[in-house]
């Protein structure tokens, strides 16, 4: 329940509409919240599904025949009856919050083997697969190939790993340096470096440490992202980041 969450919700609404996909439910929470039980329980429609199982067991027990006994036996290890009202779940968060949420999914009978768990760039962190419920999940994030050398060099120079957003600062500085070389005035006393907006918003975009990117007319940045699948130890790329933009921006 913050600007990031609302932005993700808006983007999700637009892309699902364009692709004929229905958003069955959404859940927002305060960034300061510590107890996610009520939110996940409600998201899973747990009480209704639990009650459905209780009623089914009672009806079978009342029948008192062999077929009912076998059916009752099959229900022994179930927590609920019936499916959750969605095929995929997007969790737009990371860090400890993501781990807390993910741990509660199987607790409230949201089966990650049946439901595709999806994430954003917040999932781009080491050992995310240490939480079993996230294994097999998909998330979109910049390719890691371009920034590996930068991270190694940074660590050699400063003795510590760079903040995740350091690549953005590096790309911004590098881009500014490129444009600064295009001198538009020959007057030494008024030496200025200028560039036009159309150069910054060129459809072909630019290549940075996190892959290709370009500036859109509305003030947003579009990036070419990879899609990763979470593994027990390492994530694997299931869709490589594009090397160029194929569509033009007006």
């Amino acid at each position: 329940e913050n600007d990031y969450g609302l932005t993700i919700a808006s983007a999700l609404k637009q892309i699902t509409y364009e692709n004929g996909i229905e958003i069955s439910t959404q859940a927002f929470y305060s960034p300061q919240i510590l107890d996610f039980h009520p939110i996940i329980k409600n998201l899973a429609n747990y009480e209704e599904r639990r009650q459905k199982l209780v009623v089914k067991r009672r009806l079978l027990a009342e029948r008192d025949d062999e077929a009912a006994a076998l059916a009752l036996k099959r229900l022994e290890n179930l927590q609920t009856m019936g499916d959750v009202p969605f095929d995929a779940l997007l969790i737009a968060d990371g860090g400890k919050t993501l781990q807390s949420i993910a741990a509660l999914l199987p607790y409230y009978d949201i089966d990650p083997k049946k439901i595709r768990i999806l994430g954003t760039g917040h999932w781009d962190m080491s050992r995310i697969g240490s939480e079993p419920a996230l294994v097999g999940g998909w998330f979109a994030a910049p390719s890691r190939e371009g920034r590996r050398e930068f991270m190694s060099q940074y660590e050699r120079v400063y003795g510590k790993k760079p903040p995740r957003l350091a690549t953005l600062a590096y790309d911004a500085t590098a881009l500014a340096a490129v444009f600064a070389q295009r001198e538009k005035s020959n007057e030494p006393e008024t030496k200025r470096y200028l560039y036009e907006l159309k150069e910054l918003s060129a459809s072909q975009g630019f290549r940075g440490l996190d892959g290709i990117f370009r500036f859109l007319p509305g003030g947003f940045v579009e990036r070419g992202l990879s899609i990763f699948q979470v593994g027990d130890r390492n994530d694997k790329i299931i869709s490589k980041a594009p090397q160029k933009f194929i569509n033009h921006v007006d």
Side-chain angles (χ1 to χ4, degrees), residues 36 72 76 85 95 103 134 155 169 182 200-201 220 238-239 242:
F36 293 93
L72 198 58
E76 277 186 355
L134 296 177
E155 197 164 1
R182 303 178 182 180
L200 273 177
S201 57
F220 294 98
I238 58 176
S239 178

Side-chain angles (χ1 to χ4, degrees), residues 175-185 192-196 198-200 202 204 206:
L175 186 60
V178 169
F179 281 116
Q181 293 174 11
R182 303 178 182 180
E183 185 180 341
K184 299 299 182 180
S185 173
R192 295 178 301 164
Y193 303 100
L194 306 174
Y195 46 87
E196 297 182 8
K198 66 180 181 180
E199 292 181 288
L200 273 177
Q204 69 270 21
F206 309 93

Side-chain angles (χ1 to χ4, degrees), residues 106-162:
Y107 184 83
Y108 287 110
D109 214 14
I110 299 177
D111 189 350
K113 294 180 180 178
K114 297 179 180 179
I115 303 299
R116 177 68 68 187
I117 310 299
L118 306 173
T120 67
H122 271 311
W123 287 28
D124 190 13
M125 56 187 184
S126 61
R127 296 191 55 79
I128 186 175
S130 61
E131 175 50 58
L134 296 177
V135 174
W138 295 351
F139 67 95
S143 171
R144 296 164 182 169
E145 296 176 2
R147 66 175 186 261
R148 282 175 182 159
E149 178 57 32
F150 166 80
M151 293 176 69
S152 297
Q153 187 175 357
Y154 186 102
E155 197 164 1
R156 285 196 299 270
V157 173
Y158 298 104
K160 60 182 180 180
K161 293 183 178 180

Side-chain angles (χ1 to χ4, degrees), residues 41 43-55 79-85 105 108-111:
K41 186 177 183 178
L43 183 72
N45 199 16
Y46 185 81
E47 286 294 348
E48 183 178 324
R49 295 166 63 218
R50 178 68 181 171
Q51 185 60 30
K52 187 176 180 180
L53 177 63
V54 170
V55 171
Q79 298 182 59
T80 63
M81 178 169 283
D83 296 325
V84 292
L105 298 181
Y108 287 110
D109 214 14
I110 299 177
D111 189 350

Side-chain angles (χ1 to χ4, degrees), residues 56-57 59-78 81:
K56 183 67 175 178
R57 283 174 172 167
L59 292 175
L60 289 171
E62 290 173 352
R63 281 175 46 186
D64 194 24
D65 57 51
E66 186 176 349
L70 289 173
L72 198 58
K73 184 73 173 177
R74 288 194 292 268
L75 299 180
E76 277 186 355
N77 296 322
L78 297 184
M81 178 169 283

